[in-house]
Amino acid sequence: MLSRPLRQTFALLAAAALTVTAAGCGSTDAVEASSAGDELEGATFVVGSKDFTENIMLGNIAVQLLKAHGAEVVDKVNLGGTVTNRKALMAGEIDLYWEYSGTGWIEHLKNTTPIQDPAEQFKATAGADLEKNGVRWIGPTPLNNTYALAIRTEKAQELGVKTVSDVAELARTKPEEVTICIETEFSTRDDGLPGLSKAYDMKIPKDRIALLDTGVVYTETDKGDTCNFGEVFTTDGRIAALGLTVLEDDKKFFPVYNAAVTIKDDLYKKHPALEKVLQPVIAKLDDATMQKLNARVDVDGEQPKKVSADWLEQNGFLGAAS
C-alpha cells in the first residue's frame, strides 16, 4: 500500500473535530443574517438537520435564508440521524429539515424498489408523503447524495475491483480482502448494507464489518488497516481529497437521493412564500457545488455556518447587510 503523508491525515482529523465543535446544536458562533426581503415577516420556524456535514450545512443554509427573509428561527441544526429528525418533524418538535428522496421512498414510505429516474423518484416520494403523512417536499435540488462503496485507489488496482459486483465476487474468492467500514445507520437501513448484500448476493461476516462515525469511515478506508472498503456519500469532498475510488453500483441498487426541504403541509400552507424563498437556492445546489462546500468543512477545517453564509452571500441570496 502506498503511504499518505501524515500531515494529510492529521489535517483531516483536526477538521473533523472542528466540524463537530462548530456545528453542534446550540453553538454560539451564529452568522448574522442579512436582509433579503420580508416575505416571512412574523413567521417562526424551528429548523433541524441530520448530523453529517452536508445536512448540517443545508440546515444552516435554511436558518440563514429564512432569517434573511424576516422569519424568527430556532436553530436545532445537528439534531441527530434520520429517525430522530423525522420523528421530531412528525411530532411538531421541529418545523422543517432537509431530507433525501431515496430516504423518503425507502425509509419513510417503506418501499423496497427505488425508481431510477430522478424526477419520477422525487415526484412519487413527494406525492405519497403528502397524501399519507401530510408532509410537503420543497425541491428537489440537482445534487444526488447517494451512497457508494469506495476504496483507496492503489488497493482497487491491486484487487482489480471497479464495481460492487467485483466486491461480491471477491467476497467469494478472497473473503479476507473484503473488510468494510460503515456507519451504524447504514448497517440497518433497507437501502444500506442489508439491502446491498441481498441485491449483490454478497456475504460479509460480522467480524469484517466495522461500525464507525462518518469522518472515521473515510480516514480508515484511506489508511486500509481497519477496512479496504468504506461507505461514502458521493457528494463528499473527502473522496477526492483522500484519493479514493468510488465503485460503480452496476446493479443500480442505491436509490436517487435528491435533497429537499420537508415541512408539514399545514404549516407550509400558512407560509406559501417559503416556495419563493427556497426554490432559487435549491436550484443552485448541484453535485459539484456541494462537493466543494463539503470539502471546505471536512478537508479545510472551516466552520459550517461560515461556509454556508459565504455561499449564500456570494450567490446574492442574503441581500444587503442589515
Side-chain angles (χ1 to χ4, degrees):
M1 180 184 77
L2 297 177
S3 62
R4 292 286 201 280
L6 286 176
R7 64 176 182 274
Q8 181 187 56
T9 300
F10 291 149
L12 286 167
L13 291 174
L18 179 59
T19 299
V20 171
T21 301
C25 188
S27 174
T28 59
D29 62 344
V31 176
E32 291 298 324
S34 301
S35 177
D38 60 359
E39 296 94 333
L40 299 175
E41 190 74 36
T44 299
F45 301 101
V46 182
V47 177
S49 88
K50 303 188 193 187
D51 51 6
F52 60 92
T53 296
E54 176 173 297
N55 211 261
I56 289 169
M57 286 209 296
L58 290 173
N60 279 308
I61 284 173
V63 168
Q64 294 156 8
L65 187 67
L66 298 180
K67 284 183 178 180
H69 285 268
E72 294 291 326
V73 179
V74 178
D75 183 347
K76 289 193 177 181
V77 169
N78 198 11
L79 182 63
T82 296
V83 173
T84 299
N85 278 273
R86 178 70 174 198
K87 284 183 175 179
L89 179 70
M90 300 308 291
E93 296 166 1
I94 62 173
D95 293 320
L96 60 91
Y97 79 100
W98 294 78
E99 189 54 277
Y100 299 87
S101 53
T103 301
W105 187 246
I106 301 294
E107 284 293 297
H108 304 324
L109 296 168
K110 305 304 180 186
N111 295 290
T112 56
T113 303
I115 300 170
Q116 292 303 319
D117 180 83
E120 291 301 318
Q121 178 68 91
F122 183 81
K123 181 180 178 181
T125 301
D129 210 13
L130 180 61
E131 180 181 350
K132 294 179 180 180
N133 303 309
V135 175
R136 170 82 59 165
W137 289 62
I138 305 174
T141 60
L143 77 86
N144 174 25
N145 187 11
T146 190
Y147 287 117
L149 292 185
I151 183 173
R152 60 197 186 281
T153 298
E154 61 272 19
K155 190 66 176 180
Q157 294 169 349
E158 176 190 325
L159 296 175
V161 292
K162 296 181 180 179
T163 68
V164 180
S165 287
D166 291 338
V167 180
E169 178 62 24
L170 197 66
R172 289 186 282 272
T173 59
K174 295 182 179 179
E176 70 279 2
E177 295 284 6
V178 182
T179 50
I180 184 169
C181 290
I182 60 175
E183 299 173 297
T184 300
E185 187 170 305
F186 189 77
S187 71
T188 60
R189 289 171 57 130
D190 289 338
D191 55 347
L193 187 60
L196 184 71
S197 298
K198 182 178 179 181
Y200 282 90
D201 191 24
M202 178 169 57
K203 295 177 175 58
I204 305 175
K206 289 185 178 180
D207 63 357
R208 296 186 179 277
I209 302 171
L211 302 182
L212 306 171
D213 290 337
T214 304
V216 183
V217 169
Y218 288 83
T219 53
E220 288 301 314
T221 304
D222 177 52
K223 288 191 295 186
D225 296 332
T226 303
C227 54
N228 282 328
F229 301 93
E231 162 224 345
V232 298
F233 300 108
T234 54
T235 54
D236 198 297
R238 287 168 289 194
I239 293 172
L242 292 169
L244 301 178
T245 291
V246 174
L247 300 174
E248 179 190 353
D249 176 19
D250 51 306
K251 291 189 176 181
K252 300 191 182 303
F253 164 75
F254 290 119
V256 176
Y257 296 86
N258 295 121
V261 171
T262 58
I263 182 172
K264 293 298 288 291
D265 192 49
D266 55 356
L267 183 59
Y268 170 83
K269 287 177 178 176
K270 291 179 182 178
H271 305 288
L274 280 167
E275 194 87 30
K276 176 184 175 183
V277 169
L278 287 165
Q279 282 293 3
V281 172
I282 286 169
K284 284 273 190 179
L285 291 168
D286 57 18
D287 284 359
T289 296
M290 209 68 235
Q291 285 166 0
K292 290 175 183 177
L293 296 180
N294 287 335
R296 284 181 60 182
V297 175
D298 290 326
V299 179
D300 301 334
E302 296 186 58
Q303 297 180 359
K305 287 186 178 181
K306 182 181 185 303
V307 174
S308 301
D310 285 350
W311 181 80
L312 285 168
E313 186 173 359
Q314 288 164 7
N315 285 276
F317 291 128
L318 294 184
S322 57

